[in-house]
Amino acid sequence: MDFKLTDEQVKLRKQFFDVCEELGNQKPEGFIGLEGSYDTDEGWEYHLWCAKEFAKRNWLTLGWPKEYGGQGTIMDKVFLSEATGYYDIPGVDIFGVDMLAPTLHATASEEIKREFLPSIASGERMWCELWSEPNAGSDLAALSASAVRQGDEYVINGQKTWNTGAHRAHWAFALVRTDPHAERKQKGITFILFDMKTPGITVKPLKYMDGCHLYNEVFLDGVRVPAKNIVGQENEGWTVTQTLANFERSSLGAIMAMHRQLEELVSYCNETKVRGEPLAKNPLIRSRIAQVACDLWAAHALAYRIAGAQSKSEMAAFDASAVKVFSGELQARMAQLGCEILGPYGQVKHSRWASFEGFFEKWYQQSFILNVAMGTNEIQRNIIAWYGLGLPRMK
Ligand SMILES: Cc1cc2nc3c(=O)[nH]c(=O)nc-3n(C[C@H](O)[C@H](O)[C@H](O)COP(=O)(O)OP(=O)(O)OC[C@H]3O[C@@H](n4cnc5c(N)ncnc54)[C@H](O)[C@@H]3O)c2cc1C
């Protein structure tokens, strides 16, 4: 892939960065990462406001086909992810814009596209993913939430778990079992869309270890959903799921957030003196920061390679797995390095002594999420082994 950007791309990328920097001026105090959008009412309002700001510039449809209001290319969308990641700006719904929209373009009927794409483009409808269950995570095809057809509706019963943002989202895309007798468990699954206000849905918080409310359990008790809301064919939802999972694992926003944090750590080390010498002169600290910088640029190059392949519809599943594992583990190493460099001050928050307003303490706790969410790293390594390296499957 040619990494050199055209003059036009450089200009557009700068425009994204300029707008995100400006939106950052309105950010609520203490807003950090994904939980910033979902934990508090103020953060959620900010997320919705940023979505409208992007929508009015037509930036939520970058890379979409023109007939659905799209403009620009997939690479343009990549540049926007870099800008939102760098300035930690919400507004691009990871479930609606990043995952569901490209999946609908690839797999849905015309009727579904016409009904559901416009509200994603306008930033009005936010989505959540209802896939995992207490007994179906890595082995997702073992899911048991059932949908039984009654006339022109499905009646859904079951429990979903670990659902990010389900307490705020307007709509959900879910996986349900429509044929309990299918000969292969992947065969009897259907991909369906529904309003989170439908009677019979109960959302309960699953508070993370740092106390934030981002994740949930969702109970579905006789939830009636129009049968026309399925994506793809009944019992063929597994194929749709595979398409979406690849979009779920692109990591450029997170990589740009790490660039920003690295810059801040470097400034801190230059400005902070210990026993009369700046930390930046400590050989151990220099070496560890330099190592993180090398890894970060490697992750960035990998993510660009994937984006380039994706823009030519060439991406393979193991590419997405590789960048998910590499960038997720890098974030954990970087968060730990930040906490070690800050020392005891790095463990303090809500205090005048807290360095970076407690950012690294929070980031460190959140870095564990990346090993599990979006498919655990063990599972990603299996995908890389099987599909990328041709190694045999273990029974
Ligand atoms: C913070 C967070 C957010 C999430 N958000 C969502 C969401 O929005 N929507 C949603 O539907 N789900 C979500 N999930 C669920 C997530 O996708 C699952 O937790 C994940 O797929 C792992 O499933 P599990 O928790 O059932 O663990 P298990 O599948 O029970 O795995 C337990 C351990 O066994 C290992 N393991 C399992 N099978 C294998 C194997 N074949 N080979 C090697 N090792 C294996 C796993 O790697 C893991 O270490 C989220 C999870 C977390 C933690």
Side-chain angles (χ1 to χ4, degrees), residues 223-236:
V223 179
R224 304 188 85 86
V225 178
K228 66 178 178 57
N229 285 12
I230 65 172
V231 178
Q233 301 298 313
E234 187 184 70
N235 297 326
E236 300 292 336

Side-chain angles (χ1 to χ4, degrees), residues 116-131:
F116 291 98
L117 288 169
S119 55
I120 296 178
S122 63
E124 279 159 322
R125 185 178 286 172
M126 299 295 165
W127 291 79
C128 64
E129 179 186 79
L130 305 188
W131 287 10

Side-chain angles (χ1 to χ4, degrees), residues 187-203:
K187 272 285 172 197
I189 292 172
T190 299
F191 191 108
I192 195 162
L193 314 174
F194 52 80
D195 189 334
M196 285 298 285
K197 290 210 178 67
T198 315
I201 301 179
T202 309
V203 181

Side-chain angles (χ1 to χ4, degrees), residues 299-314:
H300 204 147
L302 184 58
Y304 256 44
R305 197 176 80 88
I306 289 167
Q310 210 171 30
S311 66
K312 291 185 224 143
S313 306
E314 283 172 2

Side-chain angles (χ1 to χ4, degrees), residues 95 128-140 160-165 208 214-215 248 368-379 382 386:
F95 296 108
C128 64
E129 179 186 79
L130 305 188
W131 287 10
S132 307
E133 296 181 4
N135 293 314
S138 302
D139 185 12
L140 186 60
K160 298 290 176 179
T161 194
W162 280 114
N163 310 109
T164 308
Y208 191 60
L214 179 49
Y215 313 108
E248 195 181 34
F368 293 91
I369 292 167
L370 299 168
N371 289 331
V372 182
M374 297 177 284
T376 70
N377 283 3
E378 289 79 18
I379 296 299
N382 277 343
W386 298 331

Side-chain angles (χ1 to χ4, degrees), residues 238-304:
W238 192 248
T239 328
V240 184
T241 310
Q242 298 305 296
T243 309
L244 190 142
N246 288 336
F247 294 115
E248 195 181 34
R249 290 178 199 128
S250 49
S251 308
L252 256 169
I255 289 168
M256 287 309 289
M258 286 190 264
H259 277 293
R260 175 82 186 257
Q261 297 320 322
L262 183 62
E263 285 169 15
E264 295 200 350
L265 259 187
V266 167
S267 305
Y268 179 86
C269 291
N270 278 325
E271 288 157 13
T272 308
K273 288 190 175 171
V274 173
R275 285 186 279 281
E277 284 279 300
L279 278 175
K281 286 198 170 174
N282 178 317
L284 187 59
I285 287 179
R286 291 164 69 91
S287 162
R288 288 190 62 193
I289 288 191
Q291 183 59 52
V292 161
C294 295
D295 292 350
L296 188 48
W297 279 108
H300 204 147
L302 184 58
Y304 256 44

